[in-house]
């Protein structure tokens, strides 16, 4: 009975999903081309995707394609020498992948609250989290708003820590005229999951300027097989010969996915232009309502927000609770989401590390009113008008 009422509502008002990938005929042709070529696993298309991705970031980096950002983060930490018992500082306001990869290596994530002004890791709290066991920091550019990399890299240098950027949201964010991907972090890891700013269905990229890290990631992404050993012997040995130098992983990206990546990468600036103008419209047309707009870049001349996410906060004075807001949006046929449920209140992390809500007041305050609005290139102006009108109706 209730089910059929809900179904009727969904049929009567066309449902606007929270996110839809932007796949056009060129993308489809690229994937079909790869399927017809006779080479579908990692091969020439993956090499081309890596080269074009590195070139997009400025050319002086190496890019290593992987089958997800999660596997990329794992490889990056492994290449940085993270060992059992080590500690890695991570934000609490992120997706669980950022923290789980630390556990893959037997190390421990050390959760840190966010800065209420930008929702990124609170840089002022990093030093208080450092112990003799701290090996690395993973930062997240939340929603695509870049972290202050100069400050983070300075702290890391002072305490001899490795820095990995979870850049799942950042293509193409910039700070102080420097593209995320170009800083001297040990590794920068991108995601091409279906909802991200470009997609390969599933996929990711590890970017680094450090040749040692690049070499280790390449070996470990494919069963610990050393290309160097392979290349050294290939001329004098039969073609079946290879050498295993470590118990590696199976994290390579297929040529079918890479073909989609090449085609999507060609549109990244176009996509970004559209996302930016949609964000601008939300900012202009929602600003007078009892909600907090997402934090924006400090300097609009030198900094760029990728607008992967558009996170608003429903203020208490609106008289509408966050959960009710989401329910009413959904009844009006509009999908929303919440980024993120802070990790320190997730059952596993909370129990494993005995975490207290009160220790992360900024993330908790943000989370209580947080809603992510639909913002993607497939949305039309009319779709966005509908979202804006619905929010106005609910909040006024
Ligand atoms: C999406 C996401 C990931 C994981 O990306 P996958 O490619 O799905 O592994 C990691 N961190 C953050 C912050 C993300 O949003």
């Amino acid at each position: 009975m209730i089910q059929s009422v809900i179904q009727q509502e969904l049929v009567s008002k066309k449902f606007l999903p929270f996110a839809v990938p932007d796949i056009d005929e060129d993308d489809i042709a690229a994937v079909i081309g790869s399927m017809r070529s006779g080479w579908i696993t990692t091969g020439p298309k993956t090499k081309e995707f890596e080269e074009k991705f590195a070139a997009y970031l400025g050319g002086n980096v190496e890019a290593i394609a992987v089958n997800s950002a999660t596997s990329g983060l794992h490889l990056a930490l492994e290449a940085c020498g993270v060992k059992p018992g080590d500690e890695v500082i991570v934000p609490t306001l992120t997706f669980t992948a950022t923290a789980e990869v630390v556990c893959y290596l037997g190390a421990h994530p050390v959760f840190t609250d966010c800065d209420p002004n930008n929702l990124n890791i609170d840089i002022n709290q990093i030093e208080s989290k450092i112990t003799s066991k701290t090996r690395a920091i993973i930062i997240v550019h939340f929603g695509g708003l870049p972290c202050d990399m100069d400050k983070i890299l300075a702290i890391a240098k002072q305490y001899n820590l490795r820095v990995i950027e979870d850049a799942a949201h950042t293509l193409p964010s910039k700070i102080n005229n420097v593209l995320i991907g170009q800083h001297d972090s040990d590794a920068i890891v991108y995601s091409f999951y279906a909802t991200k700013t470009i997609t390969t269905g599933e996929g990711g990229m590890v970017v680094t300027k450090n040749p040692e890290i690049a070499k280790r990631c390449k070996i470990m992404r494919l069963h610990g097989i050393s290309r160097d050993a392979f290349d050294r012997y290939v001329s004098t040995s039969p073609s079946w010969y290879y050498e295993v130098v470590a118990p590696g992983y199976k994290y390579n990206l297929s040529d079918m996915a890479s073909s989609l990546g090449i085609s999507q990468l060609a549109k990244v600036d176009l996509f970004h232009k559209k996302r930016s103008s949609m964000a601008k419209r939300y900012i202009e047309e929602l600003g007078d309502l009892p909600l907090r707009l997402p934090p924006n870049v400090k300097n609009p001349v030198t900094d760029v927000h990728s607008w992967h996410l558009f996170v608003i906060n429903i203020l208490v004075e609106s008289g509408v609770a966050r959960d009710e807001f989401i329910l009413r949006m959904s009844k009006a046929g509009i999908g929303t989401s919440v980024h993120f449920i802070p990790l320190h209140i997730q059952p596993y992390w909370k129990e494993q590390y005995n975490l207290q809500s009160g220790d992360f007041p900024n993330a908790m305050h943000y989370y209580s009113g947080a809603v992510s609005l639909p913002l993607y290139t497939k949305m039309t102006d009319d779709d966005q008008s509908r979202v804006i009108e619905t929010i106005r109706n609910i909040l006024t």
Side-chain angles (χ1 to χ4, degrees):
M1 179 60 189
I2 290 169
Q3 187 69 34
S4 73
V5 170
I6 292 170
Q7 269 165 2
Q8 257 176 357
E9 276 201 343
L10 293 185
V11 172
S12 62
K13 301 185 191 92
K14 196 163 84 59
F15 192 78
L16 181 75
F18 170 68
V20 176
D22 193 337
I23 305 287
D24 67 10
E25 290 306 317
D26 290 345
D27 294 319
I28 292 166
V31 177
I32 290 173
S34 171
M35 289 196 287
R36 290 218 165 101
S37 74
W39 194 285
I40 55 174
T41 182
T42 308
K45 286 294 169 189
T46 303
K47 191 159 184 283
E48 184 185 338
F49 185 33
E50 291 174 337
E51 285 167 1
K52 287 188 166 158
F53 199 86
Y56 181 83
L57 294 179
N60 57 343
V61 295
E62 262 198 88
I64 300 126
V66 286
N67 59 6
S68 71
T70 306
S71 42
L73 289 166
H74 182 195
L75 289 179
L77 281 177
E78 200 272 344
C80 284
V82 171
K83 298 266 180 322
D86 284 351
E87 292 175 0
V88 177
I89 294 169
V90 301
T92 187
L93 195 61
T94 183
F95 185 56
T96 194
T98 314
E100 78 195 20
V101 291
V102 174
C103 301
Y104 291 0
L105 294 160
H108 301 290
V110 175
F111 297 92
T112 307
D113 204 358
C114 63
D115 180 335
N117 297 314
N118 54 40
L119 303 176
N120 285 324
I121 193 166
D122 185 351
I123 295 177
N124 295 322
Q125 291 189 38
I126 290 177
E127 281 185 274
S128 70
K129 302 277 175 174
I130 297 173
T131 72
S132 60
K133 292 178 181 165
T134 311
R135 172 78 61 156
I137 309 173
I138 308 180
I139 57 100
V140 178
H141 306 281
F142 182 82
L145 184 72
C147 292
D148 187 334
M149 289 313 300
D150 291 345
K151 276 192 192 159
I152 289 163
L153 290 168
I155 295 171
K157 193 168 177 195
Q158 188 185 342
Y159 291 92
N160 195 25
L161 305 177
R162 316 303 289 264
V163 175
I164 294 166
E165 297 174 54
D166 178 338
H169 301 173
T170 65
L171 199 67
S173 302
K174 250 187 207 177
I175 187 155
N176 296 327
N177 282 318
V178 179
L179 208 51
I180 296 302
Q182 267 294 329
H183 292 91
D184 293 327
S185 308
D186 293 278
I188 303 100
V189 182
Y190 294 85
S191 173
F192 310 129
Y193 180 69
T195 59
K196 302 290 158 75
T197 56
I198 68 168
T199 187
T200 60
E202 299 282 357
M205 194 72 82
V206 181
V207 166
T208 182
K209 290 182 189 168
N210 181 331
E212 292 301 314
I213 289 180
K215 185 177 163 198
R216 182 71 181 175
C217 288
K218 281 183 194 165
I219 291 172
M220 295 306 280
R221 96 176 137 174
L222 199 64
H223 303 297
I225 291 171
S226 169
R227 276 311 291 181
D228 286 355
F230 180 78
D231 290 342
R232 209 173 329 125
Y233 290 111
V234 78
S235 55
T236 53
S237 300
S239 60
W240 48 263
Y241 189 78
Y242 58 85
E243 287 190 350
V244 173
V245 299
Y249 309 104
K250 186 65 167 47
Y251 284 169
N252 56 306
L253 191 69
S254 77
D255 262 24
M256 288 187 291
S258 294
S259 301
L260 182 53
I262 294 164
S263 179
Q264 289 264 304
L265 184 64
K267 292 177 281 195
V268 64
D269 291 331
L270 201 74
F271 285 167
H272 181 248
K273 219 174 141 200
K274 175 111 197 261
R275 295 189 98 94
S276 301
S277 77
M278 292 178 72
K280 188 163 169 270
R281 184 170 172 209
Y282 272 145
I283 290 167
E284 283 166 5
E285 297 187 31
L286 297 174
D288 61 321
L289 293 172
L291 55 80
R292 190 178 165 221
L293 291 168
N296 207 338
V297 292
K298 261 199 200 151
N299 183 342
V301 179
T302 60
D303 303 347
V304 172
H305 195 314
S306 73
W307 294 113
H308 164 57
L309 298 176
F310 194 93
V311 293
I312 60 166
N313 225 266
I314 308 300
L315 298 179
V316 177
E317 48 265 42
S318 72
V320 181
R322 186 270 313 275
D323 293 4
E324 192 194 336
F325 178 86
I326 289 178
L327 199 67
R328 286 171 69 177
M329 290 291 279
S330 154
K331 279 187 181 156
I334 295 169
T336 56
S337 191
V338 174
H339 295 88
F340 293 93
I341 304 167
L343 295 182
H344 72 269
I345 62 170
Q346 291 289 3
Y348 177 77
W349 300 119
K350 181 178 148 73
E351 283 156 31
Q352 185 70 14
Y353 293 106
N354 192 25
L355 303 170
Q356 310 297 323
S357 272
D359 291 340
F360 305 87
N362 301 335
M364 288 313 288
H365 182 73
Y366 160 76
Y367 171 61
S368 65
V371 181
S372 303
L373 299 183
L375 190 165
Y376 47 96
T377 53
K378 281 284 231 192
M379 271 173 79
T380 63
D381 286 349
D382 285 350
D383 290 335
Q384 197 177 10
S385 301
R386 207 177 120 206
V387 177
I388 292 165
E389 273 163 35
T390 307
I391 296 172
R392 297 201 77 85
N393 282 339
I394 296 171
L395 293 182
T396 51

